[in-house]
Amino acid sequence: MAHPRRALILDTETTGLSPSTDRIIEIAVTLYDLKLATPIASFAALARGDYNAAEHINCISVASLAEAFEQERLWVAVCDLMASADVICAHNANFDKSFVEASEGFKQTWDSSGKDSSHRQVPWVCTLNHVTWPGKRTRNDLTSLALSLGVPVIAAHRAATDVDILCRVLTRVAEMGINLQELIGAAMAPRQKVCALVSFEQKDKAKAAGFNWEPSTKRWIKEARVGETFDFKTRAIP
Protein backbone atom coordinates (compact mmCIF):
# COMPACT_ATOMS: atom_id res chain seq x y z
CA MET A 1 0.00 0.00 0.00
CA ALA A 2 1.60 3.24 -1.16
CA HIS A 3 -0.50 5.61 0.95
CA PRO A 4 -1.73 4.10 4.23
CA ARG A 5 -4.53 6.09 5.89
CA ARG A 6 -4.57 4.75 9.45
CA ALA A 7 -1.58 3.66 11.53
CA LEU A 8 -1.75 1.81 14.82
CA ILE A 9 0.96 3.33 17.02
CA LEU A 10 1.97 0.60 19.48
CA ASP A 11 4.32 0.14 22.41
CA THR A 12 4.78 -2.55 25.06
CA GLU A 13 6.47 -3.01 28.39
CA THR A 14 7.69 -6.51 29.18
CA THR A 15 9.22 -8.57 31.98
CA GLY A 16 12.44 -9.03 30.00
CA LEU A 17 14.00 -9.21 26.55
CA SER A 18 13.06 -12.69 25.31
CA PRO A 19 9.55 -13.34 23.94
CA SER A 20 10.07 -17.07 24.54
CA THR A 21 10.53 -16.67 28.30
CA ASP A 22 9.20 -13.19 29.11
CA ARG A 23 5.77 -11.61 28.58
CA ILE A 24 3.97 -8.35 27.93
CA ILE A 25 2.84 -6.61 31.11
CA GLU A 26 1.64 -3.37 29.53
CA ILE A 27 0.46 -2.40 26.06
CA ALA A 28 -0.69 0.88 24.59
CA VAL A 29 -2.12 1.56 21.13
CA THR A 30 -3.40 4.65 19.36
CA LEU A 31 -5.16 4.60 16.00
CA TYR A 32 -3.67 7.57 14.16
CA ASP A 33 -5.09 9.14 11.00
CA LEU A 34 -2.09 9.89 8.78
CA LYS A 35 -4.08 12.07 6.36
CA LEU A 36 -5.53 14.28 9.08
CA ALA A 37 -2.39 14.01 11.28
CA THR A 38 -4.32 13.29 14.45
CA PRO A 39 -5.03 10.43 16.90
CA ILE A 40 -8.60 9.12 16.70
CA ALA A 41 -8.76 6.32 19.30
CA SER A 42 -6.54 4.98 22.08
CA PHE A 43 -6.29 2.10 24.56
CA ALA A 44 -3.71 1.32 27.25
CA ALA A 45 -3.68 -1.21 30.06
CA LEU A 46 -1.52 -3.33 32.30
CA ALA A 47 -1.75 -7.10 31.81
CA ARG A 48 -2.41 -9.25 34.85
CA GLY A 49 0.65 -11.09 36.17
CA ASP A 50 2.58 -12.09 39.27
CA TYR A 51 6.17 -11.09 38.43
CA ASN A 52 8.19 -8.38 36.71
CA ALA A 53 11.93 -8.88 36.46
CA ALA A 54 12.24 -5.53 34.68
CA GLU A 55 10.58 -3.45 37.40
CA HIS A 56 13.80 -1.46 37.88
CA ILE A 57 13.43 -0.26 34.27
CA ASN A 58 9.70 0.17 33.70
CA CYS A 59 8.70 0.87 37.34
CA ILE A 60 5.64 -1.38 37.07
CA SER A 61 5.05 -3.01 40.46
CA VAL A 62 3.92 -6.59 40.86
CA ALA A 63 1.15 -5.31 43.15
CA SER A 64 -0.29 -3.27 40.27
CA LEU A 65 -0.13 -6.27 37.94
CA ALA A 66 -2.22 -8.29 40.37
CA GLU A 67 -5.04 -5.76 39.85
CA ALA A 68 -4.63 -5.48 36.07
CA PHE A 69 -6.81 -6.59 33.17
CA GLU A 70 -7.05 -10.25 32.24
CA GLN A 71 -5.18 -11.02 29.01
CA GLU A 72 -8.40 -11.81 27.13
CA ARG A 73 -9.96 -8.42 27.87
CA LEU A 74 -6.79 -6.56 26.97
CA TRP A 75 -6.36 -8.20 23.56
CA VAL A 76 -9.99 -7.73 22.55
CA ALA A 77 -9.50 -3.96 22.77
CA VAL A 78 -6.10 -4.02 21.01
CA CYS A 79 -7.28 -6.26 18.16
CA ASP A 80 -10.37 -4.12 17.63
CA LEU A 81 -8.20 -1.08 16.88
CA MET A 82 -5.65 -3.16 14.97
CA ALA A 83 -8.33 -4.37 12.57
CA SER A 84 -8.95 -0.73 11.55
CA ALA A 85 -5.27 -0.05 10.78
CA ASP A 86 -3.40 -0.20 7.48
CA VAL A 87 -0.03 -0.44 9.23
CA ILE A 88 1.38 -0.91 12.74
CA CYS A 89 4.12 1.52 13.77
CA ALA A 90 6.48 0.99 16.69
CA HIS A 91 9.88 2.36 17.66
CA ASN A 92 12.21 -0.66 17.43
CA ALA A 93 9.32 -2.65 15.96
CA ASN A 94 11.09 -6.03 15.90
CA PHE A 95 11.01 -6.08 19.69
CA ASP A 96 7.32 -5.26 20.09
CA LYS A 97 6.28 -7.43 17.13
CA SER A 98 8.07 -10.48 18.55
CA PHE A 99 6.28 -10.12 21.89
CA VAL A 100 2.85 -9.44 20.39
CA GLU A 101 3.05 -12.40 18.03
CA ALA A 102 4.33 -14.67 20.82
CA SER A 103 1.35 -13.83 23.03
CA GLU A 104 -1.22 -16.62 23.16
CA GLY A 105 -3.84 -14.08 24.13
CA PHE A 106 -3.19 -12.09 20.95
CA LYS A 107 -3.18 -15.13 18.67
CA GLN A 108 -6.39 -16.53 20.09
CA THR A 109 -8.19 -13.19 19.98
CA TRP A 110 -7.03 -12.28 16.48
CA ASP A 111 -7.81 -15.71 15.03
CA SER A 112 -11.27 -15.77 16.57
CA SER A 113 -12.15 -12.18 15.79
CA GLY A 114 -13.76 -13.02 12.47
CA LYS A 115 -11.76 -10.43 10.55
CA ASP A 116 -11.30 -11.11 6.87
CA SER A 117 -7.96 -12.32 5.56
CA SER A 118 -6.85 -8.84 4.49
CA HIS A 119 -6.55 -7.88 8.16
CA ARG A 120 -4.68 -10.97 9.31
CA GLN A 121 -1.28 -9.68 8.25
CA VAL A 122 -1.17 -5.99 9.09
CA PRO A 123 2.32 -4.83 8.06
CA TRP A 124 4.70 -3.40 10.65
CA VAL A 125 6.92 -0.36 10.23
CA CYS A 126 9.87 0.38 12.47
CA THR A 127 9.92 4.11 13.18
CA LEU A 128 13.44 3.76 14.58
CA ASN A 129 15.07 2.13 11.55
CA HIS A 130 12.73 2.43 8.56
CA VAL A 131 11.33 5.97 8.61
CA THR A 132 13.38 8.79 7.11
CA TRP A 133 12.68 11.53 9.65
CA PRO A 134 13.49 15.17 8.83
CA GLY A 135 16.34 16.99 10.51
CA LYS A 136 19.64 15.82 11.94
CA ARG A 137 20.49 14.13 15.23
CA THR A 138 23.27 11.96 16.60
CA ARG A 139 20.81 9.34 17.91
CA ASN A 140 17.41 8.14 16.69
CA ASP A 141 15.99 6.78 19.96
CA LEU A 142 12.49 8.10 20.65
CA THR A 143 13.53 10.77 23.14
CA SER A 144 16.32 12.10 20.91
CA LEU A 145 14.02 12.08 17.88
CA ALA A 146 11.30 13.99 19.72
CA LEU A 147 13.64 16.61 21.18
CA SER A 148 15.34 17.16 17.82
CA LEU A 149 11.94 18.05 16.36
CA GLY A 150 10.96 20.32 19.24
CA VAL A 151 8.53 17.85 20.82
CA PRO A 152 8.71 18.08 24.65
CA VAL A 153 9.43 14.89 26.63
CA ILE A 154 8.57 14.90 30.33
CA ALA A 155 8.61 11.13 30.91
CA ALA A 156 9.42 7.92 29.05
CA HIS A 157 9.60 4.13 29.28
CA ARG A 158 5.92 3.50 29.89
CA ALA A 159 3.85 2.23 26.99
CA ALA A 160 1.19 4.96 26.91
CA THR A 161 3.77 7.71 27.34
CA ASP A 162 5.93 6.47 24.47
CA VAL A 163 2.93 6.04 22.17
CA ASP A 164 1.91 9.61 22.96
CA ILE A 165 5.41 10.87 22.16
CA LEU A 166 5.43 9.12 18.79
CA CYS A 167 1.98 10.48 17.95
CA ARG A 168 3.14 14.01 18.78
CA VAL A 169 6.25 13.46 16.64
CA LEU A 170 4.03 12.51 13.69
CA THR A 171 1.84 15.57 14.23
CA ARG A 172 4.89 17.82 14.46
CA VAL A 173 6.32 16.39 11.22
CA ALA A 174 3.00 17.04 9.48
CA GLU A 175 3.12 20.65 10.74
CA MET A 176 6.49 20.92 8.99
CA GLY A 177 4.74 20.24 5.68
CA ILE A 178 5.63 16.56 5.30
CA ASN A 179 2.97 14.20 3.96
CA LEU A 180 2.64 11.47 6.60
CA GLN A 181 0.98 9.02 4.22
CA GLU A 182 3.96 9.26 1.89
CA LEU A 183 6.45 9.14 4.80
CA ILE A 184 5.02 5.93 6.28
CA GLY A 185 4.22 4.51 2.84
CA ALA A 186 7.89 4.79 1.86
CA ALA A 187 8.86 2.97 5.07
CA MET A 188 6.57 0.08 4.09
CA ALA A 189 8.62 -0.67 0.95
CA PRO A 190 10.13 -4.20 0.68
CA ARG A 191 13.43 -4.51 2.50
CA GLN A 192 16.51 -6.69 2.49
CA LYS A 193 19.41 -7.09 4.86
CA VAL A 194 22.68 -5.67 3.49
CA CYS A 195 26.19 -5.16 4.78
CA ALA A 196 28.37 -2.16 3.97
CA LEU A 197 31.56 -2.87 2.06
CA VAL A 198 33.66 -0.21 3.75
CA SER A 199 37.14 -0.01 5.20
CA PHE A 200 37.84 0.90 8.80
CA GLU A 201 38.52 4.45 7.68
CA GLN A 202 35.06 4.61 6.02
CA LYS A 203 33.09 3.29 8.99
CA ASP A 204 31.68 6.73 9.78
CA LYS A 205 29.98 6.75 6.38
CA ALA A 206 28.21 3.49 7.18
CA LYS A 207 27.22 4.71 10.63
CA ALA A 208 25.86 7.96 9.25
CA ALA A 209 23.78 5.97 6.74
CA GLY A 210 22.10 4.05 9.55
CA PHE A 211 24.17 0.88 9.49
CA ASN A 212 24.81 -0.89 12.81
CA TRP A 213 27.94 -2.78 13.82
CA GLU A 214 27.37 -6.52 14.26
CA PRO A 215 30.19 -7.74 16.56
CA SER A 216 29.68 -11.45 15.90
CA THR A 217 30.33 -11.07 12.16
CA LYS A 218 32.42 -7.88 12.36
CA ARG A 219 30.40 -6.05 9.73
CA TRP A 220 28.09 -3.05 9.34
CA ILE A 221 24.53 -4.16 8.57
CA LYS A 222 21.15 -2.57 7.84
CA GLU A 223 17.67 -3.44 6.64
CA ALA A 224 17.60 -1.31 3.50
CA ARG A 225 14.88 -0.77 0.94
CA VAL A 226 15.22 -3.06 -2.05
CA GLY A 227 17.15 -1.07 -4.65
CA GLU A 228 18.36 1.55 -2.16
CA THR A 229 21.84 2.88 -2.91
CA PHE A 230 24.50 4.50 -0.75
CA ASP A 231 27.77 6.40 -1.18
CA PHE A 232 29.58 3.07 -0.83
CA LYS A 233 29.11 -0.47 -2.04
CA THR A 234 26.85 -2.93 -0.25
CA ARG A 235 26.08 -6.63 -0.47
CA ALA A 236 22.81 -8.41 0.25
CA ILE A 237 23.10 -10.96 3.06
CA PRO A 238 20.74 -13.65 4.43
Side-chain angles (χ1 to χ4, degrees):
M1 179 181 295
H3 298 292
R5 176 63 185 263
R6 291 179 171 179
L8 188 76
I9 313 303
L10 179 149
D11 190 50
T12 62
E13 297 297 336
T14 67
T15 59
L17 300 177
S18 172
S20 61
T21 57
D22 296 302
R23 60 187 293 274
I24 292 172
I25 52 173
E26 184 180 43
I27 189 166
V29 289
T30 289
L31 193 62
Y32 188 97
D33 191 306
L34 296 169
K35 183 177 181 179
L36 301 178
T38 187
I40 56 177
S42 296
F43 173 80
L46 295 176
R48 185 167 296 179
D50 56 9
Y51 74 96
N52 179 17
E55 182 175 349
H56 61 291
I57 296 174
N58 53 45
C59 300
I60 299 173
S61 69
V62 175
S64 64
L65 295 179
E67 303 300 322
F69 278 4
E70 300 89 346
Q71 287 277 341
E72 294 78 7
R73 184 179 177 188
L74 181 155
W75 287 113
V76 167
V78 171
C79 289
D80 186 48
L81 291 179
M82 188 179 291
S84 299
D86 301 311
V87 60
I88 303 169
C89 296
H91 220 61
N92 192 18
N94 284 342
F95 179 86
D96 297 290
K97 184 174 187 284
S98 67
F99 272 90
V100 169
E101 295 186 344
S103 170
E104 288 299 323
F106 167 73
K107 289 185 284 188
Q108 292 172 6
T109 304
W110 189 247
D111 290 344
S112 64
S113 62
K115 308 300 179 185
D116 61 58
S117 59
S118 66
H119 282 103
R120 292 192 179 275
Q121 295 295 329
V122 183
W124 287 69
V125 158
C126 180
T127 54
L128 172 65
N129 297 309
H130 297 163
V131 176
T132 304
W133 298 105
K136 294 182 179 181
R137 63 200 62 85
T138 57
R139 299 174 59 185
N140 229 23
D141 61 273
L142 187 56
T143 298
S144 297
L145 172 64
L147 294 177
S148 73
L149 295 170
V151 174
V153 176
I154 60 174
H157 303 307
R158 285 293 297 267
T161 303
D162 287 355
V163 165
D164 175 67
I165 293 172
L166 188 50
C167 287
R168 289 188 290 116
V169 164
L170 287 168
T171 301
R172 172 59 182 147
V173 168
E175 292 170 348
M176 296 168 66
I178 294 173
N179 186 308
L180 294 181
Q181 291 180 277
E182 293 180 359
L183 182 75
I184 300 301
M188 295 169 66
R191 293 182 176 271
Q192 62 181 355
K193 195 174 182 180
V194 299
C195 68
L197 304 179
V198 294
S199 64
F200 178 79
E201 291 74 19
Q202 296 173 312
K203 67 181 186 304
D204 288 340
K205 283 188 175 182
K207 189 174 181 180
F211 284 71
N212 295 305
W213 180 249
E214 187 176 67
S216 60
T217 59
K218 292 182 170 52
R219 59 187 180 182
W220 291 92
I221 64 170
K222 178 179 180 174
E223 280 188 33
R225 294 189 302 275
V226 173
E228 185 175 2
T229 59
F230 302 92
D231 292 336
F232 45 83
K233 293 182 178 181
T234 61
R235 174 171 56 86
I237 56 178

